[in-house]
Amino acid sequence: YARGNRNVIVIPVFISPCQIWSLNGTLIDLRSDYRRHMSGGNLTISGLDRDQDTGIYQCTASNKWGSLLSHRASLQFAYLENYKTQTVRSAVNVREGQGVVLLCGPPTHSGELTFAWIFNEYPYFVQQDTRRFISQETGSLYVAKVESSDVGNYTCVVNNTITREKVLSLPTPLVLRNDGVMGEYEPKIEVHFPDSIPAAKGSTVKLECFALGNPVPEISWRRTSGVPFPGKVKMRNSNAVLEIPNFQQEDTGTYECVAENSRGKNTARGRLSFHAKPHWLQTITDTALSIEENLFWECKASGKPKPSYSWLRNGETLTSETRVQMENGALTVSALNLSDAGLYQCVAENKHGVIYSSAELMVLASPPSFSRSALQAVLKALSGSQVSLDCQPQASPPASSLWKKGNELLQKSDRIALLPNGTLRIANVTKRDSASYTCIARNQFGSASTTGMLLVTEPTRITLRPTNMEIIVGESIVLPCQMACDPALDVSFSWAFNGQLIDFQRDGEHFERVGGTISGDLMIRSIQLSHGGKYVCHIDTDVESLSASAILVVKGPPGPPDKVSVEEITDSTAQLSWSPGRDNGSPITGYILQARTAFTVGWQAVDTVPEVVNGNLLTATVVGLNAWVEYQFRVVARNSVGVGEPSPPSIKTRTEDAMPDAAPTDVGGGGGTKSELVITWEELQNGEGFGYIVAFRPAGAAGTPWTRAAVSTPGASRHAFRNDSLLMPPFAPFDVKVAAFNDKGPGPFSSVATVFSAEEGRTEMSPDSCLCDVPVCVMFLSVGIVSVCLVAPGQPPVNVEWSMTGSLLTLHWDPVVATETESPVTGYMVLLKRQGYSDIDMVRTDKNNLELNLPASDNYLVQIKALTQGGEGVGSEPIHVHKSSEIPVLLPSRPHPSRGLI
């Protein structure tokens, strides 16, 4: 819309710059029209005139290929004229309680209007409510039930929403009659919508409904289908207006307005139908056809109402004639000529809009040409095969063709076919068909030819093909692939492994093609397990392809077993299970079980039950294990090729403890410092509470008691007996033996070995010079014309403290210090006597503290003695350990005369 007071308007164009504009189908002569001019294709109009400039504008753009018509542009003028000169409007006489309609009667106008009513004088406007309604369709004022307060003058206000112009009608007086009051009556609908309402997609639909009645009727809405209104639907003006924004297909249906009061009800119905502007479903595309061919184009569009179709060529409307037919969006043009070339437009239109689809039609006219489709210079064909020679020149219209063999014109026969598209087909070719062939093509614009040589060859034969083989890992082989072929053919060889072409550059470490031009042998070096599979030799010539295949089985030692686990373990056996690895082309014949500990060098084979573990077994029992030793196990598989890789090791597992059943070995010793006897042995371990008992006496003194010492350190393999206070002859021989013990008990002693004391001895003394008045026993050690007096300390361990936490007993005491005449303290002996039992347990320690695990719910007597080369010292006062008491106790420090537990 253009406002009536605008002076200039510019109509833009959205195609290539226009050369021609039309108004309502008539060309605008821009040369003689001073108000209209064109710039960059846009049309500018100055001094707008409603009578001259209203209408539909279109432009035409042209180039050497043709012309196109633009979309339509509608130019309308919005205006609102004044009410014509008129006399005063007649008064409207009504009874109180009666309904009334005051007509607005808007003047001549263009553009959307809105209406309001002034009551008596400005600015008092009629307020709409359940009793009063102003229709925006007619402009009339509706009063459902007149009251005395309604008496007065009413003026209709008409507003143009585009020009914003406003005009007022003459006042209409409303007067009450004096012949009584109107009684009650049922609703009478005065404002209602049509029976059928078309609604455009996306538009806002407003339905008005208002009724006169006494009492004032109530307005309600519903859909006759019973489907509730969606949330977007609004009720306005006390339900007199139903508003549906963004109208869609699902909003269609019959809508009903119900006006109801106590005297009855009335209804009005109307059906909303869905309308939409056209939308393309199928468009036309650029097409090139030869002269005398037929054109068929079809365009399809959706829309409601259903669109109608028309066609334009170079901006001009097409009409049906003998060669041109149009029906339902389809265009057919028969026997095209050069004048049919141009730009075409399919136009789909309904009352809501119009759309265009454009395409170019090129009509071709040219002599034959083989510039892009010449025959192959030499065509090789296998004897006995079928050969096709194509004759497809570029020509408009299509050319007719004929064939020559040499200079001889070819005719159709039982082996020779001349197809309609110009192709020459020769079946079951032989050497006699080898020759030059020429295709000659002609149309009304000229002729052209193309020539090629047909060479018929003999079949290729594979003379030596690969065969299935079995081979051992690491070996090398040659797979043969040799052939005989026609010398005129070019031959190429290739190999595929398991369906993948072998890349000889990338995989040259293992694969190489050997044999020259007539042989495609494949050499495989240092074969791996991954090289097992299917090998195919491909032979390709100009006319055929052949292939030969073979299966290569690569055998190797078995792969490593897996999931080795210890199912059950004792002090000397372990039951193992495992899962098998790959057999690598040769069945697994047996398994070897291995073990290692912290005391072995590497992995060692172990004895099993069964003695021979065959390849069908996945479990076996290892025997001959040492007690209380942490083991790891692994399994190795073997087959006819060899022994494979070992399995991953099992988790570390310790055998159960047992009473030592073997004596320490390699008992020996010697050396050391002054007054020392050093004893050594090979370390053992087989249970909790593990230690060693070391016994010694002068060599040859068969009747002399053994001096014993307990070594409670499990990892010990050496004990040094020392006594600085006594004279021990240097390099004196001693008989020594060693046994192991643990919580289960002691084991056997080792064989007696002879060990010499340190070479530098103590001062010589006679037996008479020994301090025999000390309150401890005295040991004499005689070596040869010399005697050493060994004196035990006279003081017991004092300040003994103990505590009990759970089953852990912790002891601590002050160290015993020997006098100059006593043998030095080399350690301590802790004696334990369980209440109610006669056995006494002894534990030796080099320190002045000790931790012991004691069985639960028992009471103990504990005594501590110092150890020297002169024997055991005075014992501490016996300690009473009650498991129910865990309070540390400080024992008296006085000596105790007893040498043992009482």
Side-chain angles (χ1 to χ4, degrees):
Y1 278 95
R3 294 182 184 175
N5 60 353
R6 289 192 62 172
N7 293 322
V8 178
I9 190 168
V10 177
I11 302 177
V13 64
F14 299 100
I15 61 175
S16 299
C18 290
Q19 290 82 28
I20 300 174
W21 280 90
S22 64
L23 172 59
N24 297 327
T26 302
L27 295 181
I28 299 174
D29 187 356
L30 296 175
R31 294 172 297 178
S32 61
D33 193 334
Y34 69 93
R35 293 189 308 111
R36 299 184 180 103
H37 68 275
M38 191 165 53
S39 175
N42 294 333
L43 177 64
T44 303
I45 307 174
S46 57
L48 288 171
D49 182 274
R50 187 172 77 194
D51 295 328
Q52 296 184 50
D53 298 325
T54 299
I56 303 298
Y57 288 80
Q58 283 183 288
C59 85
T60 303
S62 302
N63 60 19
K64 64 178 182 179
W65 308 113
S67 300
L68 287 178
L69 193 62
S70 72
H71 287 253
R72 299 171 185 172
S74 174
L75 176 59
Q76 300 181 43
F77 288 80
Y79 61 92
L80 177 61
E81 295 184 355
N82 289 319
Y83 280 95
K84 295 181 179 180
T85 303
Q86 56 183 341
T87 59
V88 176
R89 291 191 174 191
S90 301
V92 177
N93 296 287
V94 295
R95 292 175 181 168
E96 186 176 353
Q98 184 180 357
V100 69
V101 179
L102 302 182
L103 302 178
C104 179
T108 305
H109 65 277
S110 176
E112 185 180 6
L113 301 180
T114 61
F115 302 92
W117 284 80
I118 296 175
F119 179 54
N120 288 330
E121 62 181 12
Y122 183 83
Y124 299 102
F125 287 91
V126 174
Q127 302 300 313
Q128 299 186 73
D129 52 23
T130 58
R131 199 169 59 85
R132 292 171 292 191
F133 174 68
I134 300 172
S135 171
Q136 298 303 312
E137 296 290 336
T138 65
S140 300
L141 170 62
Y142 299 82
V143 182
K145 174 188 174 186
V146 174
E147 298 177 353
S148 59
S149 60
D150 294 326
V151 173
N153 292 317
Y154 290 83
T155 301
C156 181
V157 181
V158 184
N159 179 61
N160 190 309
T161 60
I162 298 174
T163 66
R164 299 181 182 175
E165 294 175 302
K166 183 183 299 182
V167 296
L168 279 68
S169 70
L170 293 177
T172 301
L174 179 64
V175 180
L176 284 183
R177 294 170 54 175
N178 55 11
D179 57 351
V181 177
M182 185 74 173
E184 293 183 351
Y185 63 95
E186 67 181 10
K188 178 184 178 183
I189 296 178
E190 289 288 341
V191 181
H192 57 81
F193 42 92
D195 293 337
S196 179
I197 310 107
K201 177 181 179 182
S203 65
T204 297
V205 177
K206 294 181 181 179
L207 303 180
E208 293 183 344
C209 182
F210 193 78
L212 310 182
N214 184 9
V216 175
E218 293 183 357
I219 305 297
S220 61
W221 295 83
R222 73 182 190 94
R223 298 174 73 170
T224 58
S225 64
V227 177
F229 292 130
K232 67 179 181 179
V233 174
K234 306 296 181 185
M235 306 290 182
R236 305 192 184 278
N237 295 37
S238 301
N239 289 1
V241 178
L242 175 72
E243 183 176 302
I244 308 172
N246 189 25
F247 189 82
Q248 299 295 324
Q249 181 72 47
E250 59 268 19
D251 297 320
T252 60
T254 301
Y255 287 72
E256 182 179 75
C257 166
V258 181
E260 186 173 8
N261 64 11
S262 60
R263 304 297 296 180
K265 66 178 179 179
N266 204 348
T267 61
R269 290 183 178 181
R271 178 170 181 81
L272 284 177
S273 58
F274 181 78
H275 282 209
K277 64 182 180 180
H279 175 76
W280 285 124
L281 302 175
Q282 179 178 326
T283 59
I284 58 177
T285 58
D286 293 344
T287 302
L289 295 173
S290 296
I291 192 171
E292 297 181 0
E293 286 190 301
N294 297 329
L295 167 68
F296 178 80
W297 264 332
E298 185 176 22
C299 56
K300 294 181 181 179
S302 63
K304 194 166 184 182
K306 185 178 179 180
S308 61
Y309 300 92
S310 60
W311 288 86
L312 305 174
R313 180 177 66 202
N314 294 327
E316 300 291 334
T317 302
L318 271 180
T319 57
S320 295
E321 55 178 83
T322 304
R323 294 190 308 111
V324 179
Q325 298 295 323
M326 293 172 286
E327 183 178 4
N328 293 329
L331 171 65
T332 303
V333 182
S334 304
L336 289 172
N337 56 51
L338 294 177
S339 64
D340 293 321
L343 298 177
Y344 285 73
Q345 290 175 285
C346 176
V347 184
E349 180 179 9
N350 64 14
K351 68 179 182 179
H352 298 291
V354 57
I355 53 177
Y356 296 78
S357 175
S358 305
E360 179 187 1
L361 172 63
M362 291 183 288
V363 179
L364 307 177
S366 63
S369 171
F370 289 99
S371 59
R372 290 183 290 175
S373 56
L375 284 175
Q376 191 173 332
V378 177
L379 175 64
K380 298 177 183 179
L382 182 64
S383 177
S385 66
Q386 177 177 281
V387 175
S388 292
L389 300 178
D390 294 328
C391 183
Q392 296 180 346
Q394 294 78 49
S396 298
S400 61
S401 60
L402 57 84
W403 284 91
K404 287 185 176 181
K405 178 182 179 182
N407 294 322
E408 175 189 355
L409 186 65
L410 277 177
Q411 300 294 333
K412 181 179 178 181
S413 69
D414 56 347
R415 289 195 313 115
I416 297 175
L418 299 174
L419 303 184
N421 64 356
T423 297
L424 168 63
R425 182 176 295 166
I426 307 174
N428 192 23
V429 295
T430 65
K431 285 283 189 177
R432 292 178 299 173
D433 294 316
S434 295
S436 64
Y437 289 81
T438 301
C439 173
I440 302 172
R442 290 190 178 91
N443 67 8
Q444 63 264 45
F445 299 106
S447 64
S449 65
T450 179
T451 301
M453 175 65 71
L454 174 62
L455 181 60
V456 179
T457 63
E458 294 298 328
T460 302
R461 296 178 298 105
I462 297 179
T463 57
L464 184 59
R465 61 181 61 238
T467 58
N468 297 341
M469 299 181 67
E470 293 185 354
I471 193 167
I472 304 300
V473 166
E475 296 180 350
S476 299
I477 61 166
V478 173
L479 296 178
C481 184
Q482 299 178 14
M483 59 84 199
C485 69
D486 192 297
L489 294 175
D490 294 325
V491 183
S492 64
F493 292 88
S494 61
W495 283 86
F497 170 52
N498 289 338
Q500 296 295 320
L501 198 65
I502 296 176
D503 186 333
F504 290 98
Q505 290 186 341
R506 183 190 63 195
D507 303 322
E509 179 182 357
H510 295 286
F511 296 104
E512 180 183 357
R513 196 180 74 79
V514 295
T517 58
I518 63 170
S519 175
D521 296 350
L522 174 66
M523 174 179 283
I524 311 176
R525 298 189 184 90
S526 186
I527 287 180
Q528 305 298 307
L529 289 171
S530 60
H531 293 152
K534 182 177 182 180
Y535 289 81
V536 180
C537 173
H538 293 280
I539 303 173
D540 293 299
T541 71
D542 307 274
V543 296
E544 61 183 326
S545 295
L546 299 87
S547 65
S549 64
I551 301 297
L552 182 62
V553 177
V554 180
K555 295 184 176 181
D562 195 15
K563 299 179 182 177
V564 178
S565 62
V566 180
E567 304 293 340
E568 184 179 349
I569 195 163
T570 68
D571 60 346
S572 62
T573 65
Q575 183 178 343
L576 305 184
S577 67
W578 60 91
S579 60
R582 296 168 58 97
D583 63 10
N584 291 332
S586 179
I588 297 174
T589 58
Y591 293 97
I592 302 169
L593 277 59
Q594 298 176 338
R596 71 177 176 186
T597 69
F599 310 107
T600 60
V601 179
W603 291 90
Q604 307 290 332
V606 292
D607 294 332
T608 61
V609 174
E611 184 175 355
V612 176
V613 182
N614 63 48
N616 296 322
L617 296 179
L618 296 175
T619 182
T621 300
V622 179
V623 297
L625 302 178
N626 293 323
W628 202 247
V629 174
E630 200 171 57
Y631 282 90
Q632 277 186 297
F633 301 95
R634 72 181 187 185
V635 181
V636 181
R638 64 185 173 204
N639 60 13
S640 61
V641 179
V643 177
E645 294 293 321
S647 70
S650 67
I651 62 172
K652 293 182 178 179
T653 307
R654 185 182 294 275
T655 53
E656 295 180 349
D657 56 356
M659 182 185 297
D661 57 358
T665 59
D666 294 338
V667 176
T673 60
K674 176 181 174 182
S675 300
E676 274 190 348
L677 177 63
V678 178
I679 303 169
T680 62
W681 61 91
E682 184 178 337
E683 179 185 353
L684 293 177
Q685 185 174 2
N686 68 343
E688 291 280 3
F690 187 79
Y692 299 94
I693 301 172
V694 180
F696 62 92
R697 65 184 179 187
T704 304
W706 292 89
T707 299
R708 303 184 181 214
V711 181
S712 60
T713 305
S717 60
R718 180 181 185 275
H719 177 69
F721 182 83
R722 181 180 180 85
N723 192 338
D724 291 333
S725 64
L726 299 178
L727 294 176
M728 178 179 290
F731 204 62
F734 286 84
D735 289 338
V736 298
K737 59 183 180 179
V738 183
F741 70 90
N742 62 19
D743 288 348
K744 298 289 185 178
F749 273 100
S750 66
S751 302
V752 175
T754 301
V755 176
F756 288 84
S757 62
E759 294 188 14
E760 183 178 350
R762 293 286 304 272
T763 306
E764 295 181 358
M765 297 180 61
S766 67
D768 296 337
S769 65
C770 190
L771 300 176
C772 296
D773 57 344
V774 294
V776 293
C777 65
V778 178
M779 173 183 279
F780 293 95
L781 179 61
S782 299
V783 183
I785 59 176
V786 178
S787 295
V788 178
C789 182
L790 305 177
V791 181
Q795 295 295 324
V798 295
N799 295 330
V800 179
E801 296 178 356
W802 67 274
S803 65
M804 196 76 182
T805 304
S807 61
L808 181 66
L809 173 64
T810 303
L811 295 167
H812 184 276
W813 57 91
D814 289 346
V816 175
V817 180
T819 64
E820 292 184 357
T821 60
E822 295 173 340
S823 296
V825 175
T826 60
Y828 298 90
M829 179 71 73
V830 179
L831 298 91
L832 296 96
K833 181 176 182 298
R834 222 164 137 191
Q835 187 172 347
Y837 293 84
S838 59
D839 295 340
I840 297 176
D841 295 324
M842 296 177 292
V843 179
R844 186 186 187 285
T845 178
D846 296 334
K847 302 177 181 179
N848 62 322
N849 56 74
L850 185 66
E851 289 184 348
L852 296 171
N853 277 306
L854 302 180
S857 304
D858 281 322
N859 298 325
Y860 287 84
L861 285 176
V862 180
Q863 191 176 44
I864 304 169
K865 295 180 181 181
L867 297 178
T868 68
Q869 288 182 320
E872 300 176 356
V874 176
S876 67
E877 183 174 350
I879 305 163
H880 295 268
V881 177
H882 300 279
K883 293 303 291 290
S884 60
S885 173
E886 298 185 358
I887 303 174
V889 177
L890 178 64
L891 296 181
S893 59
R894 66 179 182 274
H896 193 280
S898 174
R899 295 293 182 115
L901 290 174
I902 299 176

